[in-house]
Amino acid sequence: MANSKDRSKFQKFDRKAETETFKRSSHNDFATSSELKERKFTGWRYNQMLEVMELWVLGEVTDTVTPAQYKLDPMIMEKVYAQRFAIY
């Protein structure tokens, strides 16, 4: 534990302190669902709230893969992709 002499060097956290302007990245990893829809995103995305992998095609979620499905079949994402895009 810091002694009183060391503690005087610490700054108190100020919730109202002004910060620099923060801009979220425009990369698809940081986009909201509505942004992905607007961008007509196609690809895999991990949905942290639902804990599923989502396959997006032209801005719409077409398929999902749960952790349980993946555990049963580690090739499930490749299979879903191949089925969706008729790649055999």
Side-chain angles (χ1 to χ4, degrees):
M1 185 169 160
N3 62 37
S4 61
K5 187 177 182 181
D6 292 334
R7 280 184 275 183
S8 65
K9 297 177 186 174
F10 294 118
Q11 292 183 1
K12 291 183 179 179
F13 178 72
D14 181 2
R15 292 180 188 270
K16 297 180 182 178
E18 290 187 30
T19 59
E20 295 179 25
T21 304
F22 174 77
K23 292 189 179 184
R24 182 171 47 93
S25 171
S26 62
H27 190 276
N28 288 329
D29 286 347
F30 303 100
T32 64
S33 294
S34 58
E35 290 169 333
L36 293 176
K37 185 178 184 93
E38 183 179 307
R39 295 176 192 173
K40 304 268 187 226
F41 173 70
T42 296
W44 286 102
R45 176 185 185 220
Y46 180 67
N47 184 322
Q48 287 184 312
M49 293 179 75
L50 301 176
E51 296 183 352
V52 297
M53 289 297 295
E54 300 171 331
L55 178 58
W56 286 69
V57 179
L58 299 174
E60 298 292 333
V61 177
T62 59
D63 300 276
T64 59
V65 174
T66 67
Q69 289 173 306
Y70 183 80
K71 191 173 184 177
L72 289 172
D73 182 3
M75 296 296 293
I76 188 72
M77 290 174 63
E78 288 84 351
K79 291 175 182 177
V80 168
Y81 189 88
Q83 183 179 0
R84 174 60 51 196
F85 294 104
I87 303 170
Y88 300 101

